[in-house]
């Protein structure tokens, strides 16, 4: 069984419709959590998965993609039999930044959560060279690519058996995200705006839904999921704008969406 589950897709802040970014990839007994934005831990616990993740991958350290790693650490540690530490990958330039979180979320009087992040997770650098292959489980590998964003950001390419699932992370149009998405079976791509000033897109490193569709077409993907939506407009209008530029099936992300892969 190989599948993608959207746990949350909201950009910037969670709302009544969805948590922020978080996705599950499952392949033959391996479960990987991609991003862990606000609201994601509730989605994991609702599915009984908080102790069953094999690895976490954070695309970048903006809060809407990672703030729930703190409650995830506490959830894994404050239990009678804490599960083993699991790998947590962040872009190579962000390891020290993430480590500093332990300085202020720690509870020094409780040894279980004295250094919660480094106790719950084995934090590892994700090299964004588009070549280094990381093994996450049986038949599951990850390659990081350099995305174009305001902070170090990684587009992700997962091999799941003979299938490929790619994630853009937050990014503008760049070679890195194109490399990650090349010929992917499923491409989860940000579509932060319906319309935007090109200078603003370049400054922040984001895409419009139409650019997302063009990117998917250029990369030759089989299926596009538009995500990282702000909620100012109907989700369907993002899918329609992307579809106008992409000759592939386009789905707007929704909380709980399951996409079979292959
Ligand atoms: Zn974001």
């Amino acid at each position: 069984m190989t599948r993608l589950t959207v746990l949350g897709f909201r950009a910037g802040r969670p709302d009544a419709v969805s948590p922020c970014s978080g996705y599950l990839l499952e392949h033959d007994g391996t479960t990987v959590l991609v991003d862990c934005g606000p609201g994601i831990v509730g989605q994991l616990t609702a599915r009984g998965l908080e102790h069953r993740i094999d690895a976490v991958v954070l695309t970048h350290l903006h809060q809407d993609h990672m703030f729930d790693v703190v409650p995830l650490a506490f959830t894994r540690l404050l239990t009678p039999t804490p599960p083993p530490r699991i790998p947590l990958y962040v872009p190579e330039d962000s390891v020290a930044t993430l480590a500093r979180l332990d300085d202020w979320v720690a509870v020094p009087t409780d040894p279980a959560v004295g250094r919660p992040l480094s106790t719950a997770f084995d934090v590892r650098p994700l090299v964004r060279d588009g070549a280094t292959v990381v093994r996450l489980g049986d038949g599951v590998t990850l390659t990081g690519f350099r995305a174009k964003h305001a902070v170090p950001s990684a587009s992700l390419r997962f091999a799941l058996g003979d299938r490929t699932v790619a994630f853009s992370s937050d990014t503008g149009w760049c070679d890195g995200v194109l490399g990650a998405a090349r010929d992917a079976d499923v491409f989860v791509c940000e579509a932060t705006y319906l319309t935007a000033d090109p200078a603003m897109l370049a400054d922040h490193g984001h895409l419009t839904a139409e650019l997302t569709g063009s990117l998917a077409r250029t990369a030759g993907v089989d299926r596009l999921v538009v995500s990282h939506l702000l909620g100012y407009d109907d989700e369907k209008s993002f899918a329609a704008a992307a579809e106008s530029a992409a000759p592939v099936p386009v789905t707007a992300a929704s909380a709980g969406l399951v996409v079979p892969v292959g």
Side-chain angles (χ1 to χ4, degrees):
M1 187 266 298
T2 306
R3 67 181 183 184
L4 159 76
T5 303
V6 177
L7 299 176
F9 67 92
R10 197 54 95 205
R13 67 281 176 271
D15 62 13
V17 173
S18 176
C20 288
S21 290
Y23 310 90
L24 279 178
L25 281 178
E26 295 169 274
H27 174 74
D28 286 355
T30 297
T31 302
V32 179
L33 176 66
V34 176
D35 278 346
C36 193
I40 293 302
V41 169
Q43 296 299 312
L44 289 173
T45 53
R47 291 166 171 79
L49 292 173
E50 66 275 24
H51 297 322
R52 291 178 47 207
I53 310 161
D54 297 297
V56 180
V57 182
L58 301 180
T59 56
H60 63 297
L61 294 190
H62 274 161
Q63 58 84 22
D64 55 332
H65 297 257
M66 54 68 67
F67 256 16
D68 255 20
V69 290
V70 176
L72 181 57
F74 278 73
T75 298
R76 291 177 66 84
L77 296 172
L78 296 179
T79 183
T81 312
R85 240 169 34 137
I86 54 172
L88 184 156
Y89 289 90
V90 292
E92 67 274 45
D93 345 42
S94 301
V95 171
T97 306
L98 186 68
R100 286 201 294 276
L101 255 182
D102 256 350
D103 296 339
W104 58 277
V105 301
V107 182
T109 49
D110 183 345
V113 284
R115 300 292 293 172
L117 288 175
S118 49
T119 307
F121 306 117
D122 176 9
V123 179
R124 301 179 182 177
L126 175 63
V127 180
R128 297 176 298 152
D129 61 1
T132 303
V133 176
V134 178
R135 184 183 176 280
L136 300 176
D138 283 346
V140 180
T141 64
L142 163 65
T143 306
F145 292 72
R146 186 172 292 268
K148 180 183 173 190
H149 196 46
V151 297
S153 178
S155 299
L156 309 176
R157 181 179 181 86
F158 289 91
L160 307 156
D162 61 357
R163 301 289 160 169
T164 303
V165 176
F167 295 83
S168 65
S169 180
D170 285 10
T171 189
W173 186 294
C174 65
D175 289 344
V177 67
L178 275 171
R182 182 73 59 201
D183 299 326
D185 294 286
V186 178
F187 179 36
V188 181
C189 190
E190 75 127 287
T192 307
Y193 306 111
L194 263 185
T195 57
D197 172 50
M200 186 182 74
L201 286 178
D203 275 358
H204 292 302
H206 281 303
L207 296 165
T208 62
E210 192 177 340
L211 281 171
T212 298
S214 298
L215 190 62
R217 185 188 65 222
T218 305
V221 309
D222 284 348
R223 179 168 182 178
L224 171 64
V225 177
V226 293
S227 192
H228 199 259
L229 310 176
L230 274 166
Y232 300 150
D233 301 283
D234 179 9
E235 277 76 45
K236 290 191 177 71
S237 52
F238 286 84
E243 207 154 27
S244 71
V248 298
V250 180
T251 307
S254 57
L257 175 71
V258 176
V259 180
V261 182

